[in-house]
Amino acid sequence: MKILGIETSCDETAVAVVEDGQHMLSNSIAFSMDVHAKYGGVVPEIAARAQLEMIVPMLEAALEQASCDWSYIDGIAVTYGAGLGGSLLIGVMTAKTLAISKHLPLTACNHVLGHIYANFISSSPLPGYSFSDQTPQFPALAVIMSGGHSQLVLFKDHFNYQLLGQTKDDAVGEAFDKVAKILGLPYPGGPSIAKVATQGDKYRFKLPKAKVGKYDFSFSGLKTAVLRLAQEQIGESYEFPSYRLPERLSEAQKADIAASFQHTAVETIIDKVVLAAQEYRPKCVLLAGGVAANQHLRDGLKHVLRCPLIVPDPKLCTDNGAMIAALGGWQYKLKLALADPYRLAIEPNLSI
Ligand code: KG4
Ligand code: ZN
């Protein structure tokens, strides 16, 4: 079964074709990141306008890359939440129109579940992707670390899951983005921090780990601690404006702060994953979401876990259409209810 997946929940316009929830035939994506970088974060109105322009070219590119036309497509999958309202609308309206005009079934996807199902993609003729040689087994512990979510979810089976814990404030990716801004590093912050951190000493500064519920997270205190640390390093008080910090901090100070922050954020995640793995004894851990691209996190988890760690290719960790086409494939395979193309509505605050 070949599913065409559409993902437009944030700033990306992504379309892909995946066969049987695991074989990736195409993965087309357009970002409007350059424009957002000027503002230090995604501007919803700009994102939606770019998506309106890019959705048709991305559909065409995904079909061409998969060497197929509409007659080969068996169904459509689309992200209907969570995400930015205007952005979700572009994808959902496109998917509904296609389902009606091409007489194809439509399945509605939860963005966060999509990140987890990126781990089920196991092969592709496309160059430049690598896949885990392990197949996910249940029970599985899913660790979702993205710009909008930080969650630990126990999957007893497909679509049978229990939320163990989540962030009480900022998501971890959001903390990476905010700390990057404090240090004057480009958006998105995750890759920028990771790059600069390679030049720094991760033990130079001891930063706090939040004390919250057993499997919950909190990253806003860590971000504030970085702000205070940066002010302290240049000998200023907490009243010193954060936008003036980058010009006063030396490159060495930035690198040490970035490395210490990354180390603390990653250790916080690893501590909780290890605790949950000890209690629930999953057959594997599925790492997912944009922050799953972080090498420090991938290596750290691999080192401490007793069960297999499955991680998507870094290009499939951040938002993409293939994860939605894969999730959609499983939803069709397991005969989950189809969406009505005349009624499907977006749900910007959808949770897992
Ligand atoms: O999953 P995603 O593409 O979008 C959401 O659904 O939120 O995640 C984006 C987040 C951003 O906050 C970005 O800074 C972070 O993932 N990210 C990383 C890395 N690559 C992307 N964080 C840490 N290390 C990375 N290498
Ligand atoms: Zn995402």
Side-chain angles (χ1 to χ4, degrees), residues 182-199:
I182 292 171
L183 301 180
L185 304 175
Y187 178 85
S192 310
I193 297 254
K195 192 168 162 210
V196 170
T198 58
Q199 309 299 317

Side-chain angles (χ1 to χ4, degrees), residues 171-180 182-183 185 189-190 193-194 197 201-209 218-227 229 253-269 291 294 296:
V172 63
E174 201 178 340
F176 268 92
D177 295 337
K178 288 177 176 169
V179 167
I182 292 171
L183 301 180
L185 304 175
I193 297 254
D201 173 4
K202 64 182 179 190
Y203 300 115
R204 169 89 191 277
F205 303 112
K206 190 153 173 50
L207 290 162
K209 287 183 189 171
S218 162
F219 291 102
S220 109
L222 175 57
K223 167 206 68 191
T224 309
V226 168
L227 175 62
L229 171 66
Q253 282 171 322
K254 286 180 190 175
D256 287 345
I257 295 175
S260 303
F261 160 76
Q262 179 180 246
H263 177 64
T264 310
V266 163
E267 276 218 322
T268 305
I269 298 168
V291 182
N294 188 282
H296 207 63

Side-chain angles (χ1 to χ4, degrees), residues 12-348:
E12 73 299 320
T13 313
V15 184
V17 179
V18 172
E19 196 168 2
D20 297 330
Q22 49 202 24
H23 186 57
M24 182 173 69
L25 296 173
S26 65
N27 188 30
S28 300
I29 184 155
F31 302 96
S32 48
M33 198 85 85
D34 295 358
V35 196
H36 303 296
K38 278 191 237 155
Y39 302 94
V42 174
V43 183
E45 195 60 38
I46 295 176
R49 280 185 207 179
Q51 284 159 329
L52 193 55
E53 279 175 22
M54 292 314 295
I55 190 73
V56 172
M58 285 303 106
L59 278 166
E60 286 167 347
L63 287 174
E64 193 186 320
Q65 194 179 38
S67 306
C68 63
D69 59 32
W70 284 105
S71 65
Y72 288 87
I73 301 296
D74 299 298
I76 295 175
V78 65
T79 303
Y80 75 111
L84 301 171
S87 294
L88 287 168
L89 268 179
I90 309 288
V92 167
M93 292 305 290
T94 305
K96 289 162 75 161
T97 309
L98 288 169
I100 294 166
S101 61
K102 308 283 182 194
H103 306 288
L104 287 168
L106 176 65
T107 186
C109 294
N110 179 318
H111 179 80
V112 172
L113 282 182
H115 274 300
I116 299 167
Y117 275 75
N119 281 298
F120 285 82
I121 302 174
S122 55
S123 59
S124 176
L126 303 178
Y129 289 89
S130 58
F131 300 99
S132 166
D133 45 18
Q134 311 263 1
T135 315
Q137 305 274 332
F138 297 105
L141 175 66
V143 182
I144 305 123
M145 296 292 151
S146 73
H149 296 84
S150 303
Q151 296 179 318
L152 292 185
V153 184
L154 184 69
F155 276 74
K156 291 166 196 144
D157 202 345
H158 284 289
F159 308 105
N160 175 4
Y161 52 81
Q162 174 195 352
L163 177 65
L164 302 180
Q166 60 186 332
T167 184
K168 294 290 170 202
D169 39 56
D170 292 357
V172 63
E174 201 178 340
F176 268 92
D177 295 337
K178 288 177 176 169
V179 167
K181 207 167 178 176
I182 292 171
L183 301 180
L185 304 175
Y187 178 85
S192 310
I193 297 254
K195 192 168 162 210
V196 170
T198 58
Q199 309 299 317
D201 173 4
K202 64 182 179 190
Y203 300 115
R204 169 89 191 277
F205 303 112
K206 190 153 173 50
L207 290 162
K209 287 183 189 171
K211 290 188 176 53
V212 277
K214 196 169 179 190
Y215 296 124
D216 287 331
F217 298 95
S218 162
F219 291 102
S220 109
L222 175 57
K223 167 206 68 191
T224 309
V226 168
L227 175 62
R228 298 281 175 264
L229 171 66
Q231 290 162 329
E232 215 177 274
Q233 283 299 300
I234 56 162
E236 296 285 353
S237 79
Y238 68 92
E239 285 170 338
F240 188 80
S242 61
Y243 70 89
R244 288 187 52 208
L245 285 167
E247 68 197 43
R248 295 275 303 273
L249 288 163
S250 69
E251 294 309 307
Q253 282 171 322
K254 286 180 190 175
D256 287 345
I257 295 175
S260 303
F261 160 76
Q262 179 180 246
H263 177 64
T264 310
V266 163
E267 276 218 322
T268 305
I269 298 168
I270 293 177
D271 291 350
K272 303 258 168 164
V273 174
V274 167
L275 209 60
Q278 278 167 354
E279 182 169 347
Y280 295 100
R281 309 218 164 261
K283 290 209 176 113
C284 67
V285 169
L286 306 174
L287 189 58
V291 182
N294 188 282
Q295 201 56 45
H296 207 63
L297 176 62
R298 295 159 86 101
D299 293 346
L301 274 176
K302 203 170 186 138
H303 188 67
V304 294
L305 285 173
R306 298 222 175 119
C307 63
L309 171 73
I310 304 183
V311 195
D313 181 278
K315 293 183 282 305
L316 298 176
C317 287
T318 44
D319 295 346
N320 64 84
M323 68 188 202
I324 298 304
L327 169 62
W330 284 95
Q331 292 185 172
Y332 282 113
K333 222 188 263 196
L334 298 167
K335 303 199 181 336
L336 265 62
L338 292 177
D340 178 345
Y342 290 96
R343 285 168 179 252
L344 178 63
I346 59 163
E347 283 195 38

